[in-house]
Amino acid sequence: MSVLIVGSTALDSIKTPKAENPRLLGGSASHASVAASFFAPVKLVGIVGEDFPKPYLQLYRRHKVDLEGLQIVPGKTFHWSGEYEVNMNNRRTLATELGVFETFTPKLPESYQASSFVLLANIAPSLQYHVLNQMRRPKFVVADTMDLWLNIALPDLLKLLKRVDGFVLNDSEARQLTQEDNLVTALKKIHKLGPKYVIIKKGEHGATLSTRNGLFISPAYPLRRVVDPTGAGDSFVGGMMGYLSTARGTIDDNLRRAMIYGSVVASFCCEGFGLKSTTRVTRAAIETRFKELAKLTRF
Amino acid sequence: MSVLIVGSTALDSIKTPKAENPRLLGGSASHASVAASFFAPVKLVGIVGEDFPKPYLQLYRRHKVDLEGLQIVPGKTFHWSGEYEVNMNNRRTLATELGVFETFTPKLPESYQASSFVLLANIAPSLQYHVLNQMRRPKFVVADTMDLWLNIALPDLLKLLKRVDGFVLNDSEARQLTQEDNLVTALKKIHKLGPKYVIIKKGEHGATLSTRNGLFISPAYPLRRVVDPTGAGDSFVGGMMGYLSTARGTIDDNLRRAMIYGSVVASFCCEGFGLKSTTRVTRAAIETRFKELAKLTRF
């Protein structure tokens, strides 16, 4: 089955202590789509301007990402620029130019509306909601978010959460949302907002899943070198949803393995700027790291 | 087999946002000894002053901790007082009164010198070295440390590291010691200092073991409520060494499980002030959490 993914489609200019890369293909939907593409066909919903480089469209196509839902309109593509500190964990935004995103209204092609697996990757919660409203009967809907929306669009996010199956956020966002320092307690509070499955991402420390059957502690793949962590979280949810959409059995049967696949794709993402490393990955390389993670955690 | 443990034996006055507890039984050797005692008999090496409360001696004895190596001398017991911030991760030292520790020279009773398992819990590396020099042919020696010794006794620590099998430190200490931000690379650098087994503790994020066979990612037991994390790291190494000393097979066969047992005892430690929660634990309760951790990480 295919995965429908809505989110940002952007150009990222990324500075790290070691290098500077302007106008890379970026955005939550781009990272999530490429990540998911290793497991399943992807239907992308997004918007770019006429300045969007043709090679990036070809990149999507090479990954069999359906672009019927990608609007190409007059104006400039969303552009984010940011800078990482030496430890590669802290980053600051240098500039955000919304461009064509300012007036984006996602409109789902007919062929998208019956998708069973829906990933509402990071984007304004009102847009995530708008996409969800156009779906017929999705089987499994997951939303990702970021601190910005907690700050400026919390009511929209809370409205959305009542209608999603899964919700993914990072540890600091979970603490901000619940005003609770302890993550086990924070998870309980987030369930009360609606989602049956809650995943807290903790970067290099992995992720924690909470379901009615309890917790799952998911490791991160240990990397010797982090080149650029931009998009790692998006790759994680993308890989997870891609795997889930093709796995036989129930969500509960497969979600743990799906998270491990997500971690693996996220680890590749961190090894290059933008999508450079992720796009070079093969399914075989993913399987190798999956098996390695199994070995690394066995006791 | 028994475990020989040297380290600090102290009185801790601990303040958290919720409570204040003066003159609790504390110190690295106290926490590590009680933790190890659930698995094996412990031989304690330490020093206290004449002000050391009798009930604390009884507490050691209840846990079958051999006190022949505990010097009780005129003067005051080492006293540490500290305060935790709301998130329970950051703490600051309010006062350190060394007392009888200022002139401590550990002298091993004859009956201690043949111990096979030696835990050099956190204490000045020169004292750890001095203890090691009095051992006959220990089978497995592990040293723990703290940032203070990296700052004021680095040459002593480096000398010690050439002679230990295992070395345990936390993530910020590993970064400080190696001047390396990436922990996988930091681990490689630490091996070059001598230890065959290196464990980096990451608090609520678990721990990572590095051996010549690769890494092991060890989870922390997820806690709903952290009352006082003082001594959690000491409980971790204590539980680990206690289990190791009784397990059949090679160190490599058992170290992963030993770390999980260490994590479990550390989790109990965090649930009460000082040793209050740890001392109430049973081996059965430890086994229950061990099994839970197996379930929490399976995929």
Side-chain angles (χ1 to χ4, degrees):
Chain A
M1 270 184 271
S2 65
V3 184
L4 181 142
I5 298 179
V6 63
S8 60
T9 38
L11 298 174
D12 283 353
S13 294
I14 298 166
K15 212 170 151 180
T16 69
K18 293 201 174 145
E20 198 167 343
N21 278 264
R23 296 172 73 79
L24 297 160
L25 176 57
S28 62
S30 302
H31 281 284
S33 294
V34 173
S37 75
F38 295 105
F39 306 94
V42 173
K43 296 180 186 302
L44 175 66
V45 180
I47 189 166
V48 296
E50 283 169 336
D51 61 342
F52 193 69
K54 294 280 168 301
Y56 291 168
L57 291 175
Q58 285 153 13
L59 185 156
Y60 286 138
R61 286 193 193 104
R62 265 203 315 281
H63 284 272
K64 305 214 172 69
V65 175
D66 184 339
L67 299 181
E68 200 189 334
L70 180 70
Q71 302 175 29
I72 304 176
V73 300
K76 294 212 168 214
T77 302
F78 175 43
H79 180 222
W80 175 81
S81 60
E83 183 171 6
Y84 284 89
E85 287 176 17
V86 179
N87 72 13
M88 300 302 285
N89 283 320
N90 304 327
R91 79 172 176 203
R92 66 195 180 96
T93 293
L94 299 173
T96 305
E97 298 149 77
L98 284 178
V100 295
F101 251 99
E102 237 161 327
T103 54
F104 180 41
T105 307
K107 169 108 191 62
L108 261 55
E110 177 69 26
S111 67
Y112 278 39
Q113 295 170 13
S115 298
S116 296
F117 287 80
V118 178
L119 172 55
L120 308 170
N122 174 35
I123 195 176
S126 58
L127 296 178
Q128 294 174 313
Y129 194 84
H130 188 68
V131 166
L132 194 52
N133 269 343
Q134 296 170 64
M135 300 300 304
R136 277 190 211 129
R137 293 189 53 168
K139 187 181 158 191
F140 193 63
V141 179
V142 168
D144 195 352
T145 196
M146 73 182 289
D147 53 354
L148 175 67
W149 313 121
L150 300 181
N151 293 329
I152 68 167
L154 186 57
D156 290 347
L157 181 65
L158 294 176
K159 194 172 131 192
L160 177 76
L161 290 184
K162 294 198 204 315
R163 289 191 46 198
V164 302
D165 302 294
F167 182 41
V168 179
L169 72 177
N170 73 28
D171 43 2
S172 64
E173 290 155 5
R175 291 190 168 108
Q176 184 183 338
L177 177 61
T178 60
Q179 299 290 306
E180 174 59 53
D181 224 71
N182 182 289
L183 289 183
V184 181
T185 311
L187 282 163
K188 289 198 179 299
K189 287 191 176 178
I190 298 169
H191 279 299
K192 287 190 182 144
L193 301 175
K196 213 165 115 183
Y197 303 89
V198 183
I199 293 172
I200 294 181
K201 295 176 289 183
K202 298 182 288 183
E204 61 169 324
H205 301 302
T208 303
L209 161 71
S210 174
T211 74
R212 64 177 146 191
N213 298 323
L215 303 177
F216 169 54
I217 302 172
S218 176
Y221 184 87
L223 287 173
R224 207 159 299 176
R225 205 167 68 106
V226 172
V227 174
D228 170 19
T230 312
D234 308 310
S235 304
F236 169 75
V237 283
M240 179 183 95
M241 287 297 276
Y243 175 78
L244 264 187
S245 73
T246 58
R248 285 185 207 168
T250 65
I251 297 295
D252 285 288
D253 286 344
N254 296 311
L255 193 46
R256 290 175 169 219
R257 274 192 306 279
M259 286 175 67
I260 300 293
Y261 278 111
S263 293
V264 166
V265 185
S267 74
F268 285 114
C269 172
C270 292
E271 291 182 307
F273 272 95
L275 277 153
K276 282 183 187 176
S277 167
T278 318
T279 48
R280 278 198 296 264
V281 168
T282 60
R283 180 67 192 258
I286 290 171
E287 293 300 334
T288 300
R289 284 200 177 174
F290 182 96
K291 280 180 200 136
E292 270 186 85
L293 270 177
K295 268 195 195 169
L296 286 168
T297 52
R298 193 175 298 148
F299 63 86
Chain B
M1 267 185 275
S2 65
V3 184
L4 182 142
I5 297 178
V6 63
S8 60
T9 38
L11 299 174
D12 283 354
S13 294
I14 299 166
K15 212 170 151 179
T16 70
K18 294 203 176 144
E20 199 168 343
N21 278 264
R23 297 172 72 79
L24 297 161
L25 176 57
S28 63
S30 303
H31 281 283
S33 295
V34 173
S37 75
F38 295 105
F39 307 94
V42 173
K43 295 178 186 303
L44 175 66
V45 180
I47 189 167
V48 296
E50 283 169 336
D51 61 342
F52 193 68
K54 294 279 169 302
Y56 292 168
L57 292 176
Q58 284 153 12
L59 185 157
Y60 287 138
R61 285 193 194 103
R62 265 203 315 280
H63 284 272
K64 304 216 172 69
V65 175
D66 184 339
L67 299 180
E68 200 188 334
L70 180 70
Q71 301 175 31
I72 304 175
V73 300
K76 293 210 168 216
T77 302
F78 175 43
H79 180 223
W80 175 80
S81 60
E83 182 171 6
Y84 284 89
E85 287 176 18
V86 179
N87 71 13
M88 301 301 286
N89 283 321
N90 304 326
R91 78 170 176 206
R92 65 194 182 94
T93 292
L94 299 173
T96 307
E97 297 149 78
L98 284 178
V100 295
F101 251 99
E102 237 162 329
T103 54
F104 180 41
T105 306
K107 169 110 190 60
L108 262 53
E110 177 70 26
S111 67
Y112 278 38
Q113 296 170 13
S115 299
S116 296
F117 288 80
V118 179
L119 172 55
L120 308 170
N122 175 35
I123 195 176
S126 59
L127 296 179
Q128 294 174 312
Y129 195 84
H130 188 69
V131 166
L132 195 51
N133 269 343
Q134 295 170 64
M135 300 300 304
R136 277 187 209 129
R137 292 190 54 168
K139 188 181 158 192
F140 193 63
V141 178
V142 168
D144 194 353
T145 196
M146 74 182 288
D147 54 354
L148 175 68
W149 313 121
L150 300 181
N151 293 329
I152 69 167
L154 186 57
D156 290 347
L157 181 65
L158 294 175
K159 193 173 132 191
L160 176 76
L161 289 185
K162 294 197 203 316
R163 288 191 48 200
V164 302
D165 302 293
F167 182 40
V168 179
L169 73 176
N170 73 27
D171 44 2
S172 63
E173 291 155 5
R175 292 189 167 110
Q176 183 182 340
L177 177 61
T178 60
Q179 300 290 306
E180 174 58 53
D181 223 72
N182 181 288
L183 290 183
V184 181
T185 311
L187 282 163
K188 289 200 177 298
K189 287 191 176 176
I190 299 170
H191 280 300
K192 287 190 182 144
L193 301 175
K196 214 166 115 184
Y197 303 88
V198 182
I199 293 171
I200 294 181
K201 295 175 290 184
K202 299 182 287 184
E204 61 169 325
H205 302 300
T208 302
L209 162 71
S210 174
T211 75
R212 64 176 144 190
N213 298 323
L215 303 178
F216 169 54
I217 302 171
S218 176
Y221 184 87
L223 287 174
R224 208 159 298 177
R225 206 167 67 106
V226 173
V227 174
D228 170 20
T230 312
D234 309 309
S235 303
F236 170 75
V237 284
M240 178 184 95
M241 287 297 277
Y243 175 79
L244 264 186
S245 73
T246 57
R248 283 185 206 169
T250 66
I251 297 295
D252 285 288
D253 286 343
N254 297 310
L255 193 46
R256 290 176 169 218
R257 273 192 305 279
M259 285 174 68
I260 300 294
Y261 278 112
S263 293
V264 166
V265 185
S267 74
F268 285 114
C269 172
C270 292
E271 292 182 307
F273 272 95
L275 277 153
K276 282 182 187 177
S277 167
T278 318
T279 47
R280 278 196 296 263
V281 168
T282 61
R283 180 67 191 259
I286 290 171
E287 293 300 334
T288 300
R289 285 201 175 175
F290 182 96
K291 279 179 201 138
E292 270 185 85
L293 270 177
K295 268 195 196 168
L296 286 168
T297 53
R298 195 175 298 148
F299 63 86

